Amino acid sequence: MAEFFPEIPTIQYEGPESKNPLAYKHYNPDEIIEGQSMKDLFRFSVCYWHTFRGTGSDPFGAGTLQRPWDDGSDSIENALKRVDVAFEFITKLGVPFYCWHDRDVAPEGSTLKESHANFDKIAARLKEKQDETGAKLLWGTANLFSHPRYMHGAATSCNADVYAYAASQVKKAIEVTYQLGGENYVFWGGREGYMNLYNTDMNRELDHLAKFMHMAHDHAKSIGFDGQFLFEPKPKEPTKHQYDFDAAACLNFIGRNGLDGIVKLNIETNHATLAGHSMMHELEYARIHDALGSIDANTGDMLLGWDTDQFPTDIYLTTQMMLVILKQNGLGTGGTNFDAKVRRESFEPIDLFHAHIGGMDAFARGAKVAAAIRKDGLLDEFVKQRYSSFDSGVGAKIEDGSATFADLEAYMLEKGEADANTSGRQEYLENLVNQYL
Ligand code: 3MF
Ligand code: MG
Ligand code: MG
């Protein structure tokens, strides 16, 4: 089999002292963190769209990325070759999973029927390569945002035919995800929202979206697919306002439309920050609602106001993320998908390896730091102490639901004034975290 990355060896763990740029310094797949191997804790995934379909083009300039294997056509032959390239890349990185949009892997045809046929041809090759290499599908999804037909939305389009087309595309993508053993299915609603409210019936659009999700779930059940459905929150871009604005908006929609237990969340760092949150906030908010299903691991640029989809290299970020993820012992059927792209100027194929190696090592370091913090327990002990007034007396009555306003007023009239507050010690806690980095 032709090699597409002949100059790249299989990337191995060489330890923190290694100076080899094509080696892991911290990601040691067999190293145990809180009882599970790094491989099982992270369940790293390569995304097809940025990694094998990215061209480096941006709104102001043409593509720059050197991809010698890609003839730039939409032919099936080119798509089949990309599959071989993808699995060589995934195998050399030693990453267990990958993710795709339907239209990343197979070209859209002139009719829906032709698109389905193209998808089937490529899916057969993906299955072959999965069986040959052992790499698995973390999740599939449908691209309901690129084609002009989706300009007014897909499941929230004002055009019923477009809604029906989107349903057909998601039906097929769920079927192929199931066929390939995918463990989850993602819905990112890049066009599900509005550009302005003068032309929008928000109530009907949200109602249509809820019906779409129930139809999707019903179909998944009917074919035997029990993969986890995941909403991927994002506040904006390309749509001015995206209905899946953030974790809270998603969970509100899920709860109000009978989707509890059916849909969890795929949280992306750059989407969290675009929504005005930290990633730690979105992860914790999802976790406390038992809705943290998977993550799109990337980072934005705090000085830029759009989704830059950069690879995560900030150890503070990965430590904060792992402090939350370790609280729920990992991501279950989900994983750590690098929804991230090399910069337009990092145009050589080898840059794809540097980017993923850096992201994987950053998560490994963050997990080791977070595990050390959790092991010493000083952070947890501080928080426990801070809320200790709710462990007994009036606080316990508030938490067990037996207190009433009248009780609380009688208690405070008797007592006269609240007990003094204790310091929040933010600076001490930030210093504490720094001791572990
Ligand atoms: C957009 C995204 C999307 C989603 C993808 C899967 C193109 O900002 O993050 O990537 O991750 O559609 O849901
Ligand atoms: Mg994403
Ligand atoms: Mg994104």
Side-chain angles (χ1 to χ4, degrees):
M1 172 68 71
E3 271 206 79
F4 300 99
F5 305 97
E7 80 285 9
I8 308 289
T10 299
I11 311 300
Q12 307 282 354
Y13 170 68
E14 293 184 2
E17 305 314 313
S18 167
K19 301 297 177 209
N20 176 3
L22 291 175
Y24 297 120
K25 317 311 183 287
H26 296 276
Y27 177 60
N28 176 7
D30 303 322
E31 184 171 335
I32 301 299
I33 291 193
E34 293 194 11
Q36 57 184 319
S37 68
M38 281 196 184
K39 181 177 180 185
D40 292 342
L41 173 60
F42 298 118
R43 293 164 56 88
F44 284 129
S45 163
V46 170
C47 83
Y48 216 91
W49 50 98
H50 286 318
T51 314
F52 309 113
R53 302 308 310 273
T55 62
S57 66
D58 66 22
F60 299 95
T64 58
L65 303 184
Q66 291 173 2
R67 301 294 181 256
W69 56 80
D70 197 319
D71 66 20
S73 77
D74 255 344
S75 73
I76 287 288
E77 292 66 34
N78 198 28
L80 287 167
K81 185 188 281 189
R82 275 195 210 104
V83 172
D84 295 346
V85 174
F87 278 83
E88 180 183 327
F89 180 82
I90 291 163
T91 306
K92 285 193 168 178
L93 264 188
V95 165
F97 293 97
Y98 74 115
C99 294
W100 46 246
H101 299 84
D102 50 358
R103 299 292 181 260
D104 302 337
V105 291
E108 178 139 6
S110 53
T111 63
L112 180 64
K113 192 159 181 262
E114 192 184 317
S115 299
H116 281 3
N118 291 346
F119 200 3
D120 286 335
K121 283 193 192 98
I122 304 301
R125 184 59 154 274
L126 291 170
K127 180 80 173 64
E128 261 175 53
K129 297 301 285 188
Q130 285 184 198
D131 293 347
E132 179 192 312
T133 63
K136 293 191 283 182
L137 181 63
L138 184 66
W139 46 259
T141 188
N143 182 327
L144 304 180
F145 48 87
S146 296
H147 194 284
R149 86 169 67 82
Y150 294 123
M151 66 174 74
H152 300 310
T156 61
S157 174
C158 51
N159 179 338
D161 272 8
V162 170
Y163 185 106
Y165 198 105
S168 312
Q169 219 176 303
V170 170
K171 174 180 180 288
K172 184 67 178 172
I174 288 174
E175 288 163 0
V176 175
T177 298
Y178 177 48
Q179 175 195 337
L180 294 177
E183 300 190 35
N184 309 273
Y185 185 86
V186 168
F187 297 83
W188 170 63
R191 303 284 181 194
E192 314 296 16
Y194 61 79
M195 299 309 276
N196 82 80
L197 285 172
Y198 294 149
N199 65 12
T200 298
D201 184 335
M202 197 191 299
N203 187 46
R204 280 183 97 172
E205 291 197 355
L206 289 172
D207 176 58
H208 295 168
L209 183 57
K211 286 181 167 63
F212 191 91
M213 290 308 299
H214 281 288
M215 282 189 265
H217 182 237
D218 291 345
H219 184 67
K221 278 191 306 187
S222 74
I223 63 171
F225 177 61
D226 63 359
Q228 178 64 58
F229 275 11
L230 300 167
F231 274 165
E232 181 175 322
K234 186 177 187 180
K236 53 191 166 187
E237 190 198 9
T239 306
K240 171 198 168 58
H241 175 92
Q242 187 182 317
Y243 291 132
D244 289 346
F245 194 92
D246 58 5
C250 286
L251 290 170
N252 174 57
F253 180 86
I254 288 165
R256 294 170 68 87
N257 290 288
L259 293 164
D260 275 319
I262 294 172
V263 184
K264 291 192 174 186
L265 302 182
N266 178 46
I267 304 286
E268 176 164 333
T269 309
N270 206 158
H271 296 180
T273 51
L274 276 180
H277 304 305
S278 66
M279 180 57 164
M280 194 173 188
H281 167 88
E282 288 288 86
L283 291 175
E284 183 67 357
Y285 195 93
R287 182 191 71 83
I288 63 175
H289 291 89
D290 188 26
L292 177 52
S294 201
I295 64 173
D296 264 5
N298 61 21
T299 189
D301 180 318
M302 295 315 273
L303 300 178
L304 298 177
W306 60 88
D307 197 3
T308 58
D309 280 348
Q310 295 168 236
F311 277 83
T313 54
D314 178 338
I315 308 302
Y316 277 102
L317 170 66
T318 57
T319 296
Q320 290 165 4
M321 291 174 71
M322 293 314 297
L323 279 172
V324 177
I325 291 167
L326 284 171
K327 279 185 195 169
Q328 63 170 43
N329 197 30
L331 292 161
T333 65
T336 307
N337 174 51
F338 288 110
D339 182 1
K341 62 191 174 191
V342 290
R343 296 306 84 192
R344 186 170 182 261
E345 304 77 13
S346 304
F347 54 79
E348 295 181 349
I350 193 171
D351 292 312
L352 289 170
F353 284 91
H354 290 311
H356 284 83
I357 291 165
M360 291 162 72
D361 265 348
F363 269 91
R365 273 195 71 190
K368 289 192 278 190
V369 171
I373 291 171
R374 287 163 48 84
K375 183 165 175 282
D376 288 358
L378 295 176
L379 204 54
D380 285 349
E381 185 51 33
F382 181 90
V383 174
K384 189 171 178 303
Q385 274 310 309
R386 190 162 184 244
Y387 293 89
S388 56
S389 65
F390 283 91
D391 297 337
S392 60
V394 69
K397 290 194 177 70
I398 290 165
E399 287 204 345
D400 70 20
S402 61
T404 65
F405 263 16
D407 299 338
L408 296 176
E409 184 189 44
Y411 163 76
M412 201 35 74
L413 285 171
E414 172 65 28
K415 187 162 188 169
E417 180 48 87
D419 282 353
N421 283 319
T422 55
S423 165
R425 290 273 189 277
Q426 175 168 330
E427 295 75 12
Y428 155 74
L429 295 172
E430 287 168 342
N431 295 347
L432 179 68
V433 169
N434 276 359
Q435 285 178 262
Y436 291 87
L437 283 169

